[in-house]
């Protein structure tokens, strides 16, 4: 409330804090704040962790609606934090939402798993490696963190113990 009423910083400084200095209002970054849109509403957010991920936090502001959400955990599971904040934001903004449910793990042919092994790079240049070991599929992130991927279909997997993180493969029918 002190930020919103210019008690902590003056109006000019507060405006600079939440103004994009990189990007724009739909996808930018201010002074320590991510500036984006969610469901057509301006969203300003900042998250972080302390102690190697032992404590995680996220603050989300919807300035047009005068809503502020603050999430604190003593758990390193960022996926759960972002899943809960996503559902809470949807509820707050009157949007449809889906509560995460348990996924049924299936057995999958080891030859199918082998097709998915390799190095993958996303749009931002971050790389991950998928490898097969003992008829199971694993993902190793650039930071060295490794997770088992559990199949819920021939093309969809989720992180073991992180059910809200989904991998979905798109098969190119022109490739063998």
């Amino acid at each position: 409330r002190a930020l919103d009423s210019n008690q902590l910083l003056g109006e000019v400084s507060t405006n600079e804090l939440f103004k994009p200095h990189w990007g724009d209002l739909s996808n930018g970054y201010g002074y320590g704040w991510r500036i984006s849109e969610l469901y057509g509403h301006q969203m300003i957010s900042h998250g972080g962790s302390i102690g190697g991920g032992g404590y995680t936090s996220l603050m989300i502001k919807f300035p047009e609606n005068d809503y502020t959400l603050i999430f604190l955990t003593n758990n390193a599971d960022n996926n759960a934090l972002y899943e809960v904040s996503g559902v809470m934001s949807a509820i707050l903004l009157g949007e449809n939402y889906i509560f995460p449910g348990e996924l049924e793990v299936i057995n999958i042919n080891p030859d199918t798993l082998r097709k998915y092994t390799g190095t993958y790079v996303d749009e931002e240049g971050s790389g991950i490696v998928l490898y097969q070991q003992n008829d199971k599929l694993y993902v190793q992130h650039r930071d060295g963190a490794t997770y088992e991927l559990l199949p819920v279909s021939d093309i969809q997997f989720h992180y073991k113990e992180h059910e809200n993180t989904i991998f979905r493969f798109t098969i190119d029918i022109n490739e063998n």
Side-chain angles (χ1 to χ4, degrees):
R1 290 287 167 210
L3 267 176
D4 294 338
S5 63
N6 301 316
Q7 293 174 351
L8 189 60
L9 298 172
E11 184 176 356
V12 172
S13 296
T14 300
N15 290 340
E16 285 295 310
L17 189 68
F18 298 129
K19 180 177 90 176
H21 296 281
W22 168 91
D24 57 30
L25 288 173
S26 65
N27 184 22
Y29 197 77
Y31 289 136
W33 295 89
R34 181 172 181 251
I35 300 162
S36 58
E37 289 184 355
L38 184 65
Y39 306 118
H41 299 267
Q42 184 183 26
M43 182 173 82
I44 299 170
S45 61
H46 181 76
S49 62
I50 298 174
Y55 302 96
T56 309
S57 64
L58 176 63
M59 181 173 173
I60 301 172
K61 296 174 63 58
F62 295 101
E64 299 161 354
N65 307 78
D66 194 29
Y67 297 147
T68 300
L69 301 170
I70 300 172
F71 300 91
L72 306 169
T73 73
N74 58 354
N75 184 319
D77 185 0
N78 287 342
N79 298 315
L81 180 77
Y82 285 100
E83 184 72 26
V84 169
S85 66
V87 169
M88 292 297 295
S89 294
I91 291 170
L92 191 65
L93 298 172
E95 298 293 331
N96 293 328
Y97 56 91
I98 299 172
F99 280 112
E102 288 193 25
L103 300 172
E104 184 177 332
V105 176
I106 65 168
N107 290 321
I108 192 167
N109 185 321
D111 292 333
T112 301
L113 295 178
R114 196 169 299 111
K115 291 190 303 187
Y116 298 133
T117 61
T119 300
Y120 295 81
V121 179
D122 65 18
E123 298 86 21
E124 291 147 8
S126 294
I128 59 170
V129 175
L130 270 62
Y131 65 93
Q132 183 180 3
Q133 183 176 342
N134 299 329
D135 295 334
K136 294 181 180 180
L137 191 62
Y138 294 87
V139 59
Q140 182 176 28
H141 291 262
R142 190 172 56 183
D143 66 1
T146 301
Y147 303 94
E148 182 181 350
L149 294 177
L150 301 175
V152 294
S153 77
D154 280 350
I155 63 167
Q156 186 168 308
F157 297 77
H158 72 83
Y159 280 61
K160 183 176 184 179
E161 299 178 8
H162 299 275
E163 289 77 13
N164 300 319
T165 303
I166 302 290
F167 265 80
R168 185 172 294 118
F169 293 94
T170 303
I171 307 299
D172 186 344
I173 60 173
N174 297 318
E175 300 248 346
N176 292 327

